[in-house]
Amino acid sequence: MPISFTGLASGIDTNQIITQLERFSQTRINNLQAKSQVASSKQTLLRTLQSKLQTLQSQADTLSKPQNSVFDRRAMTSSDDTLVKAAAGSAAEPGVQSLRVLGLAQANQIASQGFDDLNSPITQGTFQIKAGGSTANITIDSSNNTLTGLTKAINSAGIGVTASIINDGSDSSTQPYRLLLSSNKTGTDNAIVITNNLVGDGAGAVRPEFNSTYVAQAVLGSNFSGTSAVTANAGSGNYSGTSNDTFTFTVQTGGTVGTDNGIQVAYSNSSGSKTGTLTLANTDSGVSKAVVDGVALTFDSGTLNTGDNFTVDVSAPQIQAAKNARIQLGSGDSAIVVQNSTNQLTNLIRGVTLDLQAADPTKDVILTTTNNVEAATTEITNFVNDYNDFLSFLTTQTKFDSKTNTAGPLAGDRSISEIRDIVQRSILSVSSGLPTTGNRLSAIGIKFDERGTLQVDQAKLADVLNGRVPGVTFADVKKLLTLRGESSSAGIEFVSGSRFTKNSSTPYDVDIFQAAEQATLTAGNNLANAITLDNTNNQLSVSVNGASSTVTLAEGDYTPLTLAREVQSEINAALSSKGGTVSVSLTGQKLVLLSDRYGSSSALTIQSGSAVGVLGFAGGESSEGQDVAGQFVVDGQIETATGLGQILTGSSANSNTADLALQVTLNDSQLQGGVDATLSVTHGIASLLSNVLESLLDPTAGRLKSINDRFTKNVDNAQQSITKAQQELTTQTASLQQQFARMEQTISQLQAQSQFVLNTLSPSSASGSSGLSVSG
């Protein structure tokens, strides 16, 4: 019969044994996981610490900039903002200036004579328009020979002139439509110049006039019932007045022209300021009768009835003259009057931008430039706050509370504690090269308290920044904090450095052996005393700093000086969007072109064009600039440098002058053939701190990177141990399960065999097997 077991054959709860063994291993795994979580938590805290150090470094950078720093900001006030608004940049020097606004800059506006409607026919031909440095040649033919067609053609030319047709609001019979041209820029250099080669009036078409005054045809009123033909001396230049006007004529005493005496025609302009009466004799048929301002009328034979009226429009093209802004500095005979093409001046006072609002030649405007104490106070206070925020976080994470016997997550980590010590030592440092009255942060009211945090004495800081503390100026505060370089030569100016640029225990020598130069081209031939340009000799193709363009010089008559100005204007207008400009001048009567850049990026080429010969060139001439070249000498040892334009920069491998950048404005004639200047370099306190923080935060070799790598290694090691322990537990569990299964199988087999033996040896079993009976 089959044998079945309920429960374990051995009677041992092997599952419970395995569970107990697993529990022991899991405890070890849990401990490893806890260690991993601690290391991960420390990494998270380290990232927060890194963020706070980066914030502190950013603020230290703000205070330590050698150029355009917060200490270079200026505050500007104007005594009358209705006349002048002003703003000061970092280049402005503190001080007081007085000026008067004599006049504002205006954009030129000119207008044609009147036309009947928007599509009045105009004559055909060519039409050149120029404004500033831009010129357009417009062709009027059967496709665009209307007032509207000319308007569209001018607007499509894109030369900074806007054309629009205006209706002056007068009666439709008085030709109320005029073409108005407006320069998009103010100033006399941007005046609109028209070269009108359209044919004269004829065949029902009229030539628009912009260069001279104009008398229009007489327009008969709707109630005119006479038979005399009235003709005005219509045409360009006949009007001698200076304003646009309409003269209205009314017959007061009628009669027959050429027959009657005493016919009277009264006239008046639109304002009534010019009035009078024409009296016609019997001999005045077909005779020109002068009216006023050059206007004349002719009456042919026929009747003029009392009450008949007619009008004559007169026009002057100048709607608004192009004007430069005019500013007076000083007063009396020694006053200086400065002109500017716009109402914004950026070069009158160094570093100051003036926006002219209105003119008043009788009123002085006082401009006051001061150091921006408010901005400096804000940034210094931000610096202190950022340091205290860093310190507060670090203190919380590393402190030990003896009362609760608990420690912060980062307590006991010496590397973390050292970061605090390094930062504090930087802030406590002394800025060399300054008097003891101003070489520490305490000199400006910043001190450590008993907890190690910084405190700002705002009253003392305000006194220092406003120059109320003897021995410490606003400039000294800048020196206390910033990276600075002091050169013995005005032609060699410190620009910047890095944490690899070292303080100079003795001044560094600067040896310049090649000055930076601009590309320059001088024509081979003299200009003629008088030059005429037309469409056969006014094209020029040039390349400036690698950007090429073909320009069209305006047609007209020139002197050498005015031609130089025209060439400069056209080239710069053409290249304005490409970033290169030139100045054009005269040496004797030869044109000289000069690139605006210094160094190897500066280049000029006269390529080709019909104007090449007229300008004194042969075509193909070219020139390149050169970069500054030099070196530093430190304690007799040469440290190399590279030049780009006027900037000389120490090589990154230099021991002392790595990344030291200077601007060299000396020319070749000013070089000494040896040491050209000495330079003292000093890192102020904010600069020193910024350098220390940059080193700590270095993503490849910084201390925080090292600490993070240690935490990462701890996490990785713990994770590897966890993985190994889990694998061992899995293997051990499987092995135990197999061993216990084999044990149970073996015990079960033994039990089966034992039962079999018992069954075999039992009496009933033996008797039943043989049929024998045994008795003793």
Side-chain angles (χ1 to χ4, degrees):
M1 58 181 294
I3 300 174
S4 65
F5 297 92
T6 58
L8 295 173
S10 64
I12 301 173
D13 190 347
T14 56
N15 286 333
Q16 184 178 6
I17 294 173
I18 292 173
T19 299
Q20 292 297 328
L21 291 173
E22 285 179 337
R23 184 177 295 119
F24 175 80
S25 296
Q26 187 62 47
T27 299
R28 178 168 170 262
I29 292 172
N30 291 343
N31 290 336
L32 289 171
Q33 288 175 332
K35 288 182 179 180
S36 176
Q37 290 173 353
V38 168
S40 296
S41 176
K42 287 183 177 182
Q43 276 191 308
T44 300
L45 293 173
L46 186 67
R47 284 193 291 270
T48 302
L49 176 63
Q50 179 180 9
S51 174
K52 292 184 180 298
L53 287 174
Q54 288 170 335
T55 299
L56 180 58
Q57 184 194 20
S58 175
Q59 192 60 35
D61 284 345
T62 298
L63 293 177
S64 66
K65 285 181 180 179
Q67 307 288 339
N68 298 318
S69 76
V70 62
F71 300 105
D72 296 321
R73 298 178 194 173
R74 303 289 183 256
M76 192 87 184
T77 58
S78 168
S79 63
D80 193 338
D81 280 346
T82 64
L83 296 178
V84 180
K85 291 183 179 180
S90 61
E93 294 293 337
V96 178
Q97 300 282 349
S98 175
L99 57 82
R100 293 185 180 187
V101 183
L102 304 182
L104 295 181
Q106 291 184 166
N108 191 199
Q109 288 185 309
I110 59 177
S112 70
Q113 75 274 31
F115 288 84
D116 293 330
D117 56 47
L118 297 173
N119 293 308
S120 291
I122 63 173
T123 58
Q124 300 183 27
T126 60
F127 186 90
Q128 186 184 76
I129 182 169
K130 177 183 177 183
S134 300
T135 302
N137 293 295
I138 296 169
T139 299
I140 300 299
D141 53 27
S142 59
S143 66
N144 59 356
N145 61 330
T146 63
L147 199 60
T148 296
L150 177 58
T151 302
K152 292 180 179 179
I154 293 172
N155 287 333
S156 298
I159 59 167
V161 174
T162 299
S164 55
I165 300 174
I166 60 171
N167 185 327
D168 63 17
S170 62
D171 187 88
S172 60
S173 65
T174 62
Q175 297 182 310
Y177 293 94
R178 304 181 67 191
L179 179 56
L180 176 67
L181 305 182
S182 302
S183 176
N184 295 342
K185 295 181 180 180
T186 57
T188 55
D189 288 343
N190 296 300
I192 302 170
V193 178
I194 301 293
T195 302
N196 194 342
N197 293 319
L198 301 179
V199 300
D201 299 354
V206 176
R207 185 172 87 162
E209 297 292 348
F210 297 95
N211 295 334
S212 62
T213 61
Y214 194 85
V215 176
Q217 294 286 354
V219 179
L220 303 181
S222 59
N223 64 343
F224 191 95
S225 59
T227 60
S228 174
V230 184
T231 306
N233 59 329
S236 174
N238 290 334
Y239 176 48
S240 60
T242 58
S243 61
N244 301 291
D245 214 338
T246 298
F247 286 93
T248 300
F249 298 84
T250 304
V251 178
Q252 293 185 327
T253 302
T256 301
V257 178
T259 300
D260 296 335
N261 286 312
I263 298 174
Q264 292 188 323
V265 181
Y267 65 86
S268 174
N269 67 346
S270 55
S271 66
S273 61
K274 295 180 180 181
T275 61
T277 301
L278 299 178
T279 300
L280 303 183
N282 58 3
T283 58
D284 284 339
S285 174
V287 175
S288 177
K289 305 287 288 185
V291 182
V292 67
D293 291 341
V295 178
L297 296 177
T298 300
F299 299 89
D300 288 343
S301 298
T303 61
L304 289 174
N305 298 322
T306 300
D308 284 350
N309 62 53
F310 57 92
T311 58
V312 175
D313 281 347
V314 291
S315 61
Q318 190 81 284
I319 303 300
Q320 179 170 282
K323 290 183 180 180
N324 288 337
R326 296 170 60 245
I327 303 93
Q328 178 178 303
L329 300 175
S331 59
D333 294 338
S334 61
I336 300 173
V337 176
V338 178
Q339 297 193 44
N340 194 69
S341 62
T342 71
N343 290 314
Q344 185 178 84
L345 291 82
T346 58
N347 55 4
L348 179 62
I349 303 172
R350 185 171 182 263
V352 174
T353 298
L354 303 178
D355 286 305
L356 308 184
Q357 306 296 308
D360 186 344
T362 67
K363 187 172 184 178
D364 290 318
V365 179
I366 309 301
L367 304 175
T368 304
T369 307
T370 59
N371 295 314
N372 196 330
V373 172
E374 182 180 355
T377 301
T378 298
E379 298 298 352
I380 290 173
T381 302
N382 289 343
F383 169 75
V384 170
N385 291 339
D386 288 340
Y387 170 78
N388 288 339
D389 182 49
F390 147 74
L391 184 65
S392 174
F393 175 79
L394 193 59
T395 300
T396 300
Q397 304 306 321
T398 59
K399 71 178 180 180
F400 177 79
D401 190 335
S402 58
K403 294 181 179 180
T404 61
N405 201 33
T406 57
L410 299 178
D413 194 315
R414 185 175 179 181
S415 296
I416 297 292
S417 299
E418 286 177 347
I419 291 174
R420 174 177 51 208
D421 297 339
I422 291 171
V423 173
Q424 285 182 336
R425 283 198 299 271
S426 298
I427 291 178
L428 285 168
S429 61
V430 174
S431 182
S432 61
L434 294 176
T436 56
T437 54
N439 63 357
R440 299 175 183 270
L441 285 180
S442 57
I444 61 173
I446 301 175
K447 294 182 179 180
F448 283 105
D449 62 15
E450 66 279 359
R451 297 172 300 171
T453 57
L454 290 176
Q455 299 296 326
V456 182
D457 184 339
Q458 293 289 350
K460 183 174 182 179
L461 178 61
D463 286 341
V464 170
L465 293 176
N466 284 287
R468 295 191 290 264
V469 176
V472 187
T473 66
F474 189 91
D476 290 334
V477 179
K478 178 180 179 181
K479 292 178 181 178
L480 171 67
L481 296 170
T482 63
L483 169 60
R484 65 186 188 275
E486 298 177 356
S487 171
S488 63
S489 170
I492 298 178
E493 182 180 359
F494 173 78
V495 175
S496 65
S498 74
R499 66 186 172 103
F500 301 109
T501 308
K502 294 184 179 179
N503 284 351
S504 55
S505 55
T506 58
Y508 300 144
D509 290 335
V510 182
D511 179 12
I512 305 299
F513 37 82
Q514 176 176 287
E517 291 183 356
Q518 300 159 277
T520 180
L521 283 177
T522 301
N525 299 313
N526 289 335
L527 295 173
N529 292 327
I531 307 103
T532 299
L533 297 182
D534 56 30
N535 59 9
T536 66
N537 64 351
N538 65 342
Q539 297 286 317
L540 178 66
S541 294
V542 296
S543 175
V544 178
N545 303 335
S548 296
S549 185
T550 298
V551 300
T552 301
L553 305 176
E555 298 179 18
D557 296 326
Y558 295 91
T559 65
L561 180 59
T562 58
L563 182 58
R565 292 173 178 171
E566 169 66 9
V567 172
Q568 175 177 304
S569 177
E570 295 291 355
I571 292 176
N572 290 341
L575 296 175
S576 60
S577 63
K578 301 178 182 179
T581 61
V582 297
S583 61
V584 182
S585 59
L586 292 171
T587 296
Q589 286 200 202
K590 293 181 179 179
L591 279 181
V592 180
L593 276 66
L594 183 69
S595 167
D596 64 331
R597 296 183 187 174
Y598 283 86
S600 53
S601 65
S602 177
L604 290 175
T605 302
I606 299 295
Q607 295 172 323
S608 60
S610 59
V612 168
V614 178
L615 300 178
F617 292 98
E621 294 94 338
S622 64
S623 172
E624 292 184 357
Q626 67 178 18
D627 297 314
V628 65
Q631 61 188 13
F632 302 111
V633 182
V634 182
D635 296 329
Q637 299 296 313
I638 293 175
E639 296 196 0
T640 60
T642 56
L644 181 63
Q646 293 181 309
I647 304 299
L648 185 71
T649 304
S651 301
S652 59
N654 290 351
S655 299
N656 300 279
T657 59
D659 304 328
L660 174 59
L662 307 178
Q663 182 176 26
V664 181
T665 57
L666 300 174
N667 57 45
D668 280 331
S669 66
Q670 296 172 311
L671 301 184
Q672 302 298 313
V675 176
D676 294 279
T678 58
L679 184 76
S680 297
V681 178
T682 306
H683 288 273
I685 293 173
S687 179
L688 288 171
L689 177 60
S690 176
N691 294 343
V692 165
L693 293 174
E694 185 179 355
S695 178
L696 290 173
L697 294 165
D698 188 296
T700 58
R703 184 180 293 266
L704 267 74
K705 172 67 164 54
S706 175
I707 296 172
N708 185 67
D709 287 347
R710 174 160 52 86
F711 290 159
T712 299
K713 185 176 181 180
N714 291 341
V715 171
D716 291 344
N717 289 342
Q719 191 59 50
Q720 290 173 5
S721 297
I722 291 169
T723 301
K724 182 178 179 182
Q726 288 175 333
Q727 291 173 344
E728 290 175 349
L729 176 60
T730 300
T731 301
Q732 184 181 35
T733 299
S735 176
L736 288 171
Q737 288 173 338
Q738 291 177 357
Q739 292 177 36
F740 279 123
R742 286 196 296 270
M743 182 190 72
E744 292 295 334
Q745 184 179 13
T746 301
I747 292 174
S748 177
Q749 290 174 347
L750 289 173
Q751 287 176 336
Q753 292 174 356
S754 174
Q755 186 64 41
F756 176 76
V757 170
L758 290 173
N759 290 337
T760 302
L761 297 178
S762 68
S764 58
S765 174
S767 172
S769 305
S770 60
L772 297 176
S773 175
V774 178
S775 62

